[in-house]
Amino acid sequence: MTTTAPAAPPTAMDTYRPTRTFTFATEFRRQASRRRTQLALGFMVVLPLIILVAFQLNTGDGNNGRRRGEFSSLVDLATAGGVNFALFTVFVSASFLLIVVVALFCGDTVASEASWGSLRYLLAIPVPRGRLLGVKLAVSLAYSVIAMVLLLGTALAVGTLRYGWHPLRSTIAGDIAAGEALLRLLGIMAYLAVSLLVVAGLAFLLSVTTDAPLGAVGGAVLLQILSSILDQITALGAIRSFLPTHFAQAWLGLLSTPIQTDNLVRGCISALGYAVVFFGLAWWRFLRKDVVS
Amino acid sequence: MVTGSIVLILLAGVISWAAWPVPSSYRTEDRMIAVKTGPGGDQDVTLDTRLYLPKSADASHPVPAVLLAHGFGGTKLDSVSDAQSLAEHGYAVLTWTAQGFGRSTGQIHLDSPDWEVKDAKNLVDWLARRPEVRKDSANDPRVAAVGGSYGGGLSLLLAAHDRRIDAIVPMITWNDLARAFLPNGIGGGPENGVFKKQWAGMFFGSGGSMGGTAPVAQPRGPRGADPSAAQCGRFALDVCQVYLEMATTGRPSARAIDLLRRSSPAGVLDRIKAPTLLIQGEADSLFPLSEADANAKGIAANGTPVRVAWFTGGHDGGQGPQSDQDRVKFLTAQWLDHYLAGKGAKPNNSFTYSRISGIDASGDGLVAAGFNVADYPGTGGTKTERVTVEGPPQPAANPPNGNPAAVSSLAGVGGAIGNLASGMTIEVPGQHADFYSAPLAKTTDVTGSPTVQLKVASPTREAVLFVKLYDVDANGQPTLPNGLVAPVRLTGLPTSIDQAVPTTVTLPAIVRRFEQGHRLRITVSTSDQSYLSPAAPTVYTVAANGPVTLPTAAGTPLQSPSVIWRYVLAGLVAAIALALVVLIALSRRRLRRREQTEDEYAQTPLVVRGLRKEYADGFVAVSKVDFAVERNTVVGLLGPNGAGKTTTLRVLMGLTYPTAGEILVFGQRLKPGAPVLSRVGALVEGPGFLPHLTGYANLELYWKATGRPEAEARFDEALDIAGLGTAVHRKVKTYSHGMKQRLAIAQAMLGLPELLVLDEPTDGLDPPQIAEMRKVLRRYATDGRAVLVSSHLLAEVEQTCTDVVVMHKGQIVASGPVDDIVGDSPSVHLDVSDVDLAENVLDELGIVRTVAWSGGNSLVVDLDGTPRAEVVAALVKAGIGVDRVVPRRRLEDAFLALVGGDTKASGER
């Protein structure tokens, strides 16, 4: 190299392509290395085991086989087979655990970069802001799905090993053949995934708004809780249908025969509507934001 | 939190839009209408009425009318919401409180043609006098009669006794009141029926109790102080006596049967010419589906149009799920529109029914699936299935006085729940006989009345039995569909089961799916809490004979109106997908667009022109900044804390948007995310690393994120500069501040960017490292590269940089090559023994331009070209000791003149 500038000096511009920056794989690796990712995913594997152990302890308690009404039948049914066990695990996780996990993956992702200061270096690479959000969101959603799959997979595997492969038993409908029950279980997970988009959207929006990862995660969970509480107040009438959590239980419709799809469909519309608003706001905000952290 | 507020405002907007009251399209008139009624038409009764008139209705635009009658024990206010929706639909709706109830006067005659029906005829007359009501001819208004239960019975009887009625919609009502209260599952008249004591008691109770709440002025009738007034309340004496007699003996007298028959449509169905829509509930142990069936057959026999619909509610099940309510509403509106208003196509004859399919997933009650059958099949179904039930003849004990009794349903509650769970039904051990079928080979949807044959023996030659069809699931849990039972009274029985002849029992009509693998159980009990059974203890012997016949009526599933949401969802998904594709395509195109280059600056690493940055809160961090960085230079951006250096660098890195002005990097406009940023390496506002990763992994992932070839990164050179040694393989969170700083500088240098921007690079470094860093930066700024260093330390800039830009309060105050600016200044620092004297001496000499005291023994003297030696000599000559002579330099001058004395950071100004 000479000290004078050559006619056409090779520059970083020649190898830089905006669409090659910050790939899904890179972000996936970055997040995979984080302890919170590992813990959250690990817990998805451990939870079914904990539930299983809890059931084992319970049967040793002396009240062998005593059935007392519909409520204790929930536990009775949970041990009726692998599918029932998986369903029980999903049932107890859906109302809170999955919300927290999704809020964690989606709420922490941008805010934590901001709090570490690494966000500004990514933007200075430059990773186009829209792309940064897109990849971040895709990876967060991917981890959310992985968490759900791990939970369901482990519960199915553990439950089937312990209780066997039997038709799904339920109190409100007849038995459902194991194969079909598995499909319905996947349907339930799919519906949960769609309805959790609301949490994801809200957490993501808060994530691009604040530098405090905990604030984003907590804020999203808090609003979900608030919505659930409001949903309990029947005096609100038709307004409740507009609450993001109003159709949270609609997946139970997949357990009846024939399947009740009305609320599933309405729940999907509600969830997608909220998700579009939240994600739209997140993009709108982040593309115009002064990144000062 | 701006976003949070936006979300809240949006939410509030949606909620208030949903909750905003809509102005009503009708008005109401309450009035007491006096009518002449009774067998002779000479009794005065005043009816409490309310007329709902659409606002559009007047004499020139008369509208059809609807008589909307309430259920037993109710008032005109029970039907407010139905009346409102009919009025909004364009009908004049007249609701009234039937005589003997509420504020209306008179007594309860059980829809007697002489009383309640006459009242209604009077109301038709009254409607005919209203100019707003459409007429078919004089004194013949266009009018329909609609009502449920007691009101349904009235509408049937009114249509039979008044030809002016143009259409009726009787709901959950009776055909034969005698049979409804004295049913018998083997047929035969009410003479041999089993008294439905629980319902009868509720019926009577709700009428009798009204006595106490009646207006004081209400005439008590001829009874006066008759003690039976206390017993009968507002019931007419004959009705009351019939009840008392029946409830006491359990057997009706001929008089009782006559009275009940008079209040029944059964005998007058052939006189009904008004098109009839019959809606009956499946969860109804008071007026079961068979009552509507009898009405339908009787009315259709005259050629009158009849349509039948079953829904999952009823006297036990209420209004049923929303889908049922919507269907009933739709059918009613369609019926009235065609036969009353003359709008819309003729409703077809099809029969619709629904079946409970599960508990609503949202916890709001039950969910029903609707079905459509082309023609009404009756309770016998379109087809039948036969299922054998088996079991040995079994004894069943009749408890004395029917206690303890089996529980099938509680009048008015729980029937629908009984459809799903077994909790509501109780069989008393020893008091019933069970006959099971084998597990069903296929799922069977029963729609109608199953039948079964029984053989019974009784020592008294008589028996009252309650026959039920249970659905027993694979786990042995029995469910009694809707809690319905068939009571039978058998007479002339043999004492031994061997001599018994089979009797066919018709079970209540049900709509239920019996799943494959479930079993049927015919249970024959000796008592039931809802019925009056013989008081004497006996033991019957019961045997099942032959199969259970299950009627089916396969229909096409009804699409619930909520199907529209599926299209909404599909539309939403499509719209989102389309929007995503368009947005991604647009942003790709924008990324591919080549930035315009200003050629004259194509070789200049950095040009800042008229930059201004005003933050959202109005604070102006940078008011006007212009400078340039040429190749092969190290430019220092010097200024006190808060001078606007960092803000400038933030804009330069594309982190914040400038308010005005622009930045050119190699001639390209710099915007957030501009590709030309790839030629810039930066350290701004301290390091930013993933704390849980090693230093090396951080650099590696950072470079991966650039998407550029690994060979371009020059990791080794960068790591050399960082000088972290083996520490580079430790997690960043274990690093000291200085180590992070060095790693951040190394990261900025990855790929040897042509413009390196470092914000306070020596922050946290120790002196040897600082010295080393100076060398590194000077070496870096070769081969056409340039470095921009910001600092608030004069010395650092002076020793490191080739050029300097001094900023203060958001503005450039000086700029140029360091050598130019740092060169000798015309002034010196003099430390003297006597400041005042020295000042005087120098002033008098006139060889210097200015003299200023700068604290302590120090003077700042502008020599104006006079050699320093001369000044010193002059002072010494005047007897003043000179301790120190220090030449001052321009940069310091400039810096201190601008900054000195003003220790406040500009950020705090």
Side-chain angles (χ1 to χ4, degrees):
Chain A
M1 277 221 181
T2 57
T3 47
T4 53
T11 70
M13 292 281 282
D14 297 328
T15 52
Y16 167 82
R17 294 282 176 277
T19 50
R20 263 187 238 154
T21 59
F22 200 60
T23 56
F24 184 89
T26 310
E27 170 63 2
F28 196 85
R29 251 188 73 191
R30 283 162 56 98
Q31 298 297 330
S33 65
R34 297 187 56 186
R35 187 70 72 205
R36 68 117 167 102
T37 311
Q38 295 156 2
L39 282 177
L41 294 184
F43 189 66
M44 294 291 121
V45 175
V46 172
L47 179 71
L49 296 171
I50 294 175
I51 294 176
L52 188 79
V53 169
F55 281 153
Q56 294 310 108
L57 292 179
N58 183 40
T59 49
D61 214 349
N63 55 354
N64 32 8
R66 259 186 61 205
R67 287 165 192 252
R68 295 147 303 166
E70 297 302 312
F71 294 103
S72 64
S73 74
L74 194 68
V75 177
D76 287 345
L77 288 179
T79 58
V83 190
N84 266 107
F85 182 77
L87 179 66
F88 179 82
T89 311
V90 170
F91 178 78
V92 294
S93 314
S95 54
F96 193 67
L97 178 67
L98 288 180
I99 288 173
V100 172
V101 167
V102 170
L104 178 69
F105 283 133
C106 295
D108 167 284
T109 180
V110 179
S112 64
E113 299 277 357
S115 73
W116 294 328
S118 48
L119 181 62
R120 54 178 180 270
Y121 294 104
L122 290 175
L123 292 177
I125 278 176
V127 180
R129 289 191 180 188
R131 180 176 176 81
L132 181 95
L133 279 198
V135 172
K136 281 255 168 216
L137 179 61
V139 170
S140 303
L141 293 182
Y143 274 111
S144 304
V145 169
I146 289 172
M148 293 172 74
V149 169
L150 273 180
L151 182 73
L152 181 66
T154 315
L156 264 180
V158 170
T160 305
L161 281 178
R162 174 64 187 83
Y163 301 114
W165 186 245
H166 300 301
L168 180 74
R169 283 177 49 195
S170 90
T171 46
I172 56 169
D175 293 0
I176 302 167
E180 201 203 328
L182 185 61
L183 280 181
R184 292 197 185 191
L185 210 47
L186 289 177
I188 289 172
M189 291 313 265
Y191 177 75
L192 283 178
V194 171
S195 62
L196 284 169
L197 278 178
V198 180
V199 187
L202 184 58
F204 201 65
L205 173 59
L206 292 175
S207 190
V208 303
T209 315
T210 172
D211 300 347
L214 269 182
V217 178
V221 175
L222 212 64
L223 269 175
Q224 285 287 310
I225 292 173
L226 176 69
S227 169
S228 308
I229 291 173
L230 287 180
D231 201 29
Q232 306 286 317
I233 302 170
T234 43
L236 287 175
I239 297 169
R240 294 193 302 150
S241 304
F242 292 94
L243 292 171
T245 56
H246 183 66
F247 298 100
Q249 301 286 308
W251 57 269
L252 289 169
L254 283 167
L255 295 178
S256 70
T257 307
I259 293 171
Q260 300 167 21
T261 53
D262 286 356
N263 277 338
L264 286 174
V265 170
R266 266 178 266 179
C268 284
I269 292 172
S270 161
L272 287 178
Y274 272 104
V276 164
V277 170
F278 287 143
F279 287 128
L281 279 174
W283 250 260
W284 186 82
R285 179 100 189 82
F286 192 67
L287 293 191
R288 280 156 190 77
K289 185 185 179 181
D290 284 340
V291 177
V292 292
S293 52
Chain B
M1 284 298 102
V2 177
T3 331
S5 339
I6 294 172
V7 173
L8 275 182
I9 290 166
L10 276 177
L11 205 65
V14 167
I15 287 173
S16 42
W17 170 78
W20 204 257
V22 219
S24 66
S25 61
Y26 57 87
R27 59 198 161 86
T28 60
E29 293 174 11
D30 284 299
R31 77 179 69 212
M32 304 298 289
I33 297 181
V35 296
K36 293 280 185 193
T37 186
D42 51 6
Q43 302 289 315
D44 287 314
V45 165
T46 312
L47 299 173
D48 181 15
T49 70
R50 177 179 287 180
L51 179 68
Y52 299 76
L53 264 181
K55 281 182 178 160
S56 62
D58 56 33
S60 51
H61 301 98
V63 294
V66 174
L67 283 172
L68 188 56
H70 62 78
F72 198 83
T75 68
K76 63 172 184 177
L77 297 177
D78 290 4
S79 29
V80 167
S81 70
D82 287 337
Q84 285 170 342
S85 74
L86 282 170
E88 271 161 12
H89 207 68
Y91 295 107
V93 183
L94 181 62
T95 63
W96 76 101
T97 303
Q99 66 166 295
F101 295 103
R103 296 178 59 221
S104 293
T105 61
Q107 294 174 334
I108 303 163
H109 292 270
L110 290 186
D111 282 348
S112 163
D114 289 336
W115 298 92
E116 281 87 351
V117 176
K118 255 186 197 160
D119 295 348
K121 280 170 145 175
N122 275 298
L123 293 177
V124 176
D125 294 341
W126 185 83
L127 280 174
R129 292 195 294 274
R130 294 287 304 209
E132 300 92 341
V133 174
R134 201 203 287 183
K135 317 277 187 304
D136 289 326
S137 62
N139 198 32
D140 181 2
R142 180 65 68 89
V143 64
V146 177
S149 194
Y150 195 57
L154 180 90
S155 65
L156 282 162
L157 287 159
L158 179 62
H161 289 103
D162 191 335
R163 303 295 289 271
R164 292 175 295 176
I165 303 297
D166 298 293
I168 54 172
V169 185
M171 298 180 242
I172 57 170
T173 193
W174 67 89
N175 170 253
D176 182 344
L177 205 52
R179 185 180 56 219
F181 281 110
L182 295 151
N184 190 350
I186 57 163
E191 304 79 13
N192 277 323
V194 182
F195 184 54
K196 205 182 271 180
K197 66 171 181 185
Q198 201 172 40
W199 266 119
M202 272 186 70
F203 222 132
F204 192 77
S206 63
S209 66
M210 302 308 283
T213 57
V216 180
Q218 188 224 333
R220 276 273 168 163
R223 292 202 295 280
D226 187 336
S228 70
Q231 202 160 33
C232 297
R234 297 183 70 177
F235 274 100
L237 199 60
D238 53 346
V239 176
C240 180
Q241 281 169 351
V242 160
Y243 170 76
L244 294 176
E245 171 196 300
M246 232 172 11
T248 313
T249 62
R251 305 300 287 266
S253 63
R255 191 172 74 117
I257 293 173
D258 274 355
L259 185 134
L260 292 174
R261 283 267 160 84
R262 207 175 61 221
S263 294
S264 299
V268 290
L269 290 178
D270 56 338
R271 295 164 63 177
I272 296 179
K273 300 294 178 222
T276 306
L277 172 64
L278 286 160
I279 293 165
Q280 201 76 352
E282 294 158 21
D284 202 325
S285 53
L286 176 58
F287 302 132
L289 297 173
S290 52
E291 294 296 309
D293 189 51
N295 280 334
K297 293 205 163 101
I299 298 169
N302 325 316
T304 305
V306 174
R307 194 176 192 188
V308 181
W310 295 350
F311 71 109
T312 57
H315 280 95
D316 297 322
Q319 294 189 298
Q322 191 64 43
S323 61
D324 271 355
Q325 294 175 34
D326 292 345
R327 178 163 57 96
V328 166
K329 218 171 207 172
F330 171 79
L331 290 173
T332 306
Q334 191 194 30
W335 199 257
L336 294 181
D337 281 354
H338 181 73
Y339 288 110
L340 192 61
K343 295 183 291 188
K346 185 172 181 233
N348 64 23
N349 233 3
S350 68
F351 161 63
T352 56
Y353 66 94
S354 55
R355 185 174 66 221
I356 294 292
S357 57
I359 293 172
D360 181 64
S362 310
D364 299 337
L366 302 166
V367 171
F371 299 90
N372 183 58
V373 180
D375 289 302
Y376 176 58
T379 51
T382 50
K383 284 186 187 162
T384 52
E385 308 262 345
R386 286 164 172 276
V387 178
T388 308
V389 289
E390 286 168 340
Q394 291 158 47
N398 181 41
N401 274 321
N403 188 32
V407 178
S408 54
S409 67
L410 297 172
V413 287
I417 293 167
N419 207 358
L420 288 161
S422 51
M424 295 299 293
T425 55
I426 299 169
E427 298 292 348
V428 184
Q431 295 183 20
H432 61 98
D434 290 342
F435 307 95
Y436 283 92
S437 76
L440 295 175
K442 63 180 173 86
T443 297
T444 306
D445 291 323
V446 175
T447 307
S449 294
T451 58
V452 64
Q453 287 200 327
L454 295 178
K455 288 201 282 190
V456 181
S458 164
T460 61
R461 300 194 172 268
E462 285 194 6
V464 170
L465 296 169
F466 302 91
V467 189
K468 310 164 209 187
L469 172 64
Y470 275 97
D471 178 358
V472 183
D473 72 11
N475 308 308
Q477 289 279 17
T479 305
L480 181 62
N482 278 325
L484 296 176
V485 306
V488 294
R489 182 186 298 278
L490 299 164
T491 50
L493 295 173
T495 49
S496 156
I497 191 74
D498 304 327
Q499 293 149 19
V501 286
T503 314
T504 301
V505 177
T506 305
L507 292 161
I510 51 170
V511 178
R512 182 172 178 90
R513 163 166 289 185
F514 290 84
E515 300 276 352
Q516 179 192 358
H518 285 204
R519 293 189 294 165
L520 305 184
R521 189 181 94 194
I522 293 289
T523 293
V524 182
S525 318
T526 55
S527 63
D528 194 288
Q529 192 182 270
S530 305
Y531 293 86
L532 194 65
S533 47
T538 334
V539 176
Y540 311 120
T541 310
V542 183
N545 185 70
V548 178
T549 309
L550 301 173
T552 60
T556 46
L558 287 177
Q559 292 288 25
S560 82
S562 53
V563 132
I564 188 153
W565 291 113
R566 292 190 200 171
Y567 298 109
V568 173
L569 178 61
L572 183 61
V573 169
I576 292 172
L578 189 70
L580 276 182
V581 167
V582 168
L583 283 177
I584 289 175
L586 279 180
S587 66
R588 290 251 161 155
R589 220 178 69 187
R590 208 170 51 219
L591 287 178
R592 267 202 298 275
R593 204 168 55 210
R594 293 301 294 183
E595 293 296 327
Q596 289 295 312
T597 306
E598 290 192 24
D599 287 334
E600 64 180 300
Y601 298 114
Q603 295 303 322
T604 313
L606 180 65
V607 177
V608 179
R609 284 199 297 219
L611 187 70
R612 180 182 173 83
K613 175 64 187 177
E614 204 176 316
Y615 284 107
D617 57 0
F619 172 65
V620 181
V622 172
S623 53
K624 189 172 184 310
V625 166
D626 297 83
F627 67 91
V629 176
E630 299 293 338
R631 287 184 186 270
N632 300 324
T633 59
V634 179
V635 177
L637 191 56
L638 180 66
N641 288 327
K645 306 186 300 287
T646 302
T647 300
T648 308
L649 297 187
R650 275 179 189 160
V651 179
L652 168 53
M653 283 176 64
L655 297 177
T656 62
Y657 290 80
T659 312
E662 59 186 2
I663 293 180
L664 298 178
V665 174
F666 294 106
Q668 289 190 19
R669 270 292 276 291
L670 195 139
K671 294 175 297 188
V676 75
L677 273 171
S678 61
R679 297 171 77 170
V680 181
L683 159 63
V684 175
E685 288 184 279
F689 294 109
L690 279 58
H692 54 279
L693 291 179
T694 65
Y696 188 81
N698 259 295
L699 294 193
E700 196 193 350
L701 277 173
Y702 172 79
W703 189 255
K704 271 213 183 318
T706 66
R708 291 160 59 191
E710 200 167 322
E712 272 183 36
R714 317 277 195 104
F715 275 110
D716 296 339
E717 287 167 56
L719 287 174
D720 265 357
I721 290 161
L724 288 172
T726 56
V728 82
H729 294 296
R730 273 171 35 206
K731 287 187 177 170
V732 167
K733 63 182 163 200
T734 65
Y735 284 14
S736 69
H737 185 56
M739 288 164 82
K740 282 187 199 158
Q741 186 78 3
R742 272 140 60 203
L743 190 67
I745 294 169
Q747 175 177 290
M749 287 182 178
L750 277 180
L752 304 182
E754 290 159 272
L755 174 62
L756 184 64
V757 178
L758 301 176
D759 186 14
E760 310 278 359
T762 54
D763 185 27
L765 303 193
D766 53 28
Q769 285 166 342
I770 293 176
E772 176 64 25
M773 191 54 63
R774 283 181 197 136
K775 280 189 224 156
V776 166
L777 293 184
R778 279 191 184 276
R779 211 165 49 228
Y780 192 88
T782 55
D783 297 342
R785 292 187 293 251
V787 180
L788 176 64
V789 178
S790 90
S791 178
H792 62 282
L793 298 174
L794 175 66
E796 188 179 305
V797 171
E798 211 180 318
Q799 290 170 48
T800 314
C801 301
T802 58
D803 294 80
V804 66
V805 176
V806 185
M807 278 187 80
H808 185 52
K809 296 189 176 180
Q811 278 177 315
I812 304 282
V813 290
S815 67
V818 171
D819 291 340
D820 284 6
I821 291 178
V822 177
D824 281 353
S825 144
S827 58
V828 287
H829 264 298
L830 284 175
D831 284 7
V832 293
S833 56
D834 186 337
V835 174
D836 292 334
L837 189 56
E839 218 167 327
N840 287 337
V841 167
L842 289 174
D843 276 348
E844 283 162 22
L845 273 175
I847 54 172
V848 296
R849 191 180 293 155
T850 59
V851 178
W853 177 68
S854 65
N857 294 334
S858 208
L859 285 175
V860 174
V861 183
D862 186 340
L863 298 175
D864 195 20
T866 313
R868 287 193 282 263
E870 201 175 307
V871 174
V872 172
L875 288 172
V876 171
K877 207 164 128 193
I880 301 164
V882 177
D883 291 338
R884 211 157 62 116
V885 182
V886 183
R888 272 170 54 101
R889 290 169 306 168
R890 288 181 196 185
L891 184 55
E892 194 169 13
D893 266 355
F895 194 54
L896 287 183
L898 294 160
V899 181
D902 181 5
T903 52
K904 272 196 292 181
S906 58
E908 299 160 34
R909 71 182 179 253

